[in-house]
Amino acid sequence: MDASHLPVRGPDTWTDIQGLSGLARAARDDGKAALPAVARQFEAVFAQMLIKSMRQASFGGGILDSPQSNQWRGMFDNQIALSLANDGKGLGIAAMLVRQLGGNPQGSNATATDPTALSSQLRAARTLPAASAAAPAATFTTDGTAANSSGTTEGVFDRAIDFVKTAGRNALHTAQQWVFSGPDDFVQKLAPYAQAVANKLGVSMRAVLAQAALETGWGQHMPQQADGSSSNNLFGMKAGDGWQGKRVSEPTLEFKDGVAVRTNAAFRAYAGPARSFADYARLLTENPRYAGALGHGEDIAGFARALHSAGYATDPDYAAKLTTIANSDTMRDALTSLKDSTSTPTTEL
């Protein structure tokens, strides 16, 4: 069978030694012919990564959720990934791989898509400058087989792995970063999560949105990770000794005895904004010191004062600032725009 038409199997199949060895053997036997099959397989793996990331961005907790339903959902997601890779055009990742590694993307129907013909959304997600440097184009010998700098065909397979890993990291970073064009956009994107948190805390959604706006300047100023990606930390959550997740160090302004002092602090970093909301809700509901902040309903000033009294922030004007933002014309206009555009969907915690 022509290696370029090898079927794309389930993403999990190629995580075992035999599957990887099979692809490596195909590359050694005829690197140029095996390249499209390797590229399509990695496109399936990449699609599975994207789907998994989107699933993780949800709070979950639906009434039908169970270990069994999660297992079936995982199988369904695997099938989606395979369908995306096998529909003849796919996401365009396979075509990029073949082109980057020096092959001919027109060589098979599975890689016949010109990456420049992708939709604007997919082109926006293809921010792969690092990948280009990580995977220089392969060269081909006179007999048509691909060769790396050592003159062997094994480099085709290795470079495909490196390329997709780098491409996956870059694309996932792009997909997981939310950019807010202004207060209206900030409220539009975060209202479902804010409403879910508000329901759990027994407070106004305006209070939750106002605190996130206060901590981030309406989403414009969040701590950044070392690679420049956002920490998605919407509530200024610090990373103490008990925090097991990622963290970033950022300059911040703290108040000691009423005097502002600039210092560096460790902040928590999240895979997406949804995780930030979930962690914030968990802190306020599970830490006894914030018990007084719960159940204030539309009493935003009472909620803000209770947060400050519990030590959430050192700024002596923190409660007043939060209340002012919640009652501002900017917040009212943003919420009015939200109501006019669509009804706020419910997101469960």
Side-chain angles (χ1 to χ4, degrees):
M1 175 183 288
D2 183 354
S4 65
H5 296 285
L6 290 174
V8 178
R9 303 185 186 178
D12 292 337
T13 302
W14 301 101
T15 59
D16 64 82
I17 296 176
Q18 288 183 344
L20 293 174
S21 298
L23 285 177
R25 283 195 302 272
R28 284 195 298 269
D29 294 340
D30 190 345
K32 187 175 181 179
L35 182 55
V38 174
R40 283 187 288 120
Q41 182 58 48
F42 274 99
E43 180 169 318
V45 175
F46 178 71
Q48 187 187 41
M49 290 167 57
L50 290 179
I51 295 171
K52 182 178 179 180
S53 178
M54 288 187 288
R55 291 287 190 197
Q56 291 175 341
S58 170
F59 282 123
I63 60 175
L64 299 179
D65 279 1
S66 68
Q68 290 75 22
S69 66
N70 290 337
Q71 181 180 9
W72 284 106
R73 185 183 296 120
M75 296 170 63
F76 175 67
D77 290 347
N78 285 352
Q79 187 59 48
I80 293 177
L82 290 174
S83 297
L84 287 172
N86 276 317
D87 71 350
K89 294 183 178 180
L91 299 174
I93 303 296
M96 283 192 294
L97 276 172
V98 175
R99 191 183 298 277
Q100 183 69 25
L101 297 175
N104 178 14
Q106 305 298 329
S108 69
N109 60 354
T111 57
T113 301
D114 183 352
T116 60
L118 296 175
S119 67
S120 58
Q121 292 89 344
L122 287 177
R123 286 200 303 272
R126 269 179 41 207
T127 53
L128 308 177
S132 299
T139 58
F140 289 88
T141 62
T142 55
D143 63 356
T145 59
N148 61 10
S149 58
S150 302
T152 67
T153 59
E154 295 179 3
V156 172
F157 183 70
D158 294 335
R159 287 188 215 178
I161 294 176
D162 293 339
F163 181 83
V164 172
K165 283 181 178 179
T166 306
R169 285 195 297 269
N170 289 346
L172 285 175
H173 281 161
T174 300
Q176 291 168 350
Q177 293 185 64
W178 286 14
V179 178
F180 305 100
S181 60
D184 287 2
D185 188 44
F186 183 83
V187 170
Q188 181 79 34
K189 289 176 178 175
L190 299 185
Y193 305 104
Q195 185 62 69
V197 169
N199 292 342
K200 191 164 187 176
L201 302 183
V203 301
S204 168
M205 180 180 74
R206 280 192 300 133
V208 178
L209 287 171
Q211 189 176 6
L214 173 60
E215 291 285 354
T216 66
W218 296 98
Q220 301 304 307
H221 307 289
M222 282 182 275
Q224 289 190 333
Q225 302 188 65
D227 62 0
S229 62
S230 173
S231 65
N232 295 305
N233 190 331
L234 288 157
F235 294 94
M237 301 274 282
K238 300 285 180 57
D241 294 337
W243 175 247
Q244 301 298 317
K246 291 184 178 180
R247 59 180 66 206
V248 297
S249 179
E250 281 274 312
T252 186
L253 194 66
E254 300 291 348
F255 288 81
K256 296 181 180 180
D257 298 325
V259 179
V261 178
R262 288 202 171 275
T263 182
N264 282 341
F267 291 88
R268 302 181 184 188
Y270 304 97
R275 296 293 184 88
S276 180
F277 274 97
D279 194 36
Y280 168 77
R282 185 162 45 247
L283 173 70
L284 267 59
T285 55
E286 295 181 3
N287 193 324
R289 86 186 210 189
Y290 293 110
L294 307 179
H296 281 271
E298 292 299 319
D299 181 13
I300 296 174
F303 168 72
R305 286 194 297 269
L307 270 182
H308 183 261
S309 298
Y312 192 95
T314 59
D315 184 353
D317 297 323
Y318 191 83
K321 292 177 181 178
L322 195 161
T323 304
T324 298
I325 292 175
N327 295 325
S328 67
D329 290 339
T330 302
M331 178 65 77
R332 289 196 179 95
D333 291 344
L335 290 173
T336 299
S337 177
L338 174 67
K339 293 177 182 178
D340 291 343
S341 62
T342 182
S343 58
T344 304
T346 300
T347 301
E348 295 184 2
L349 289 175

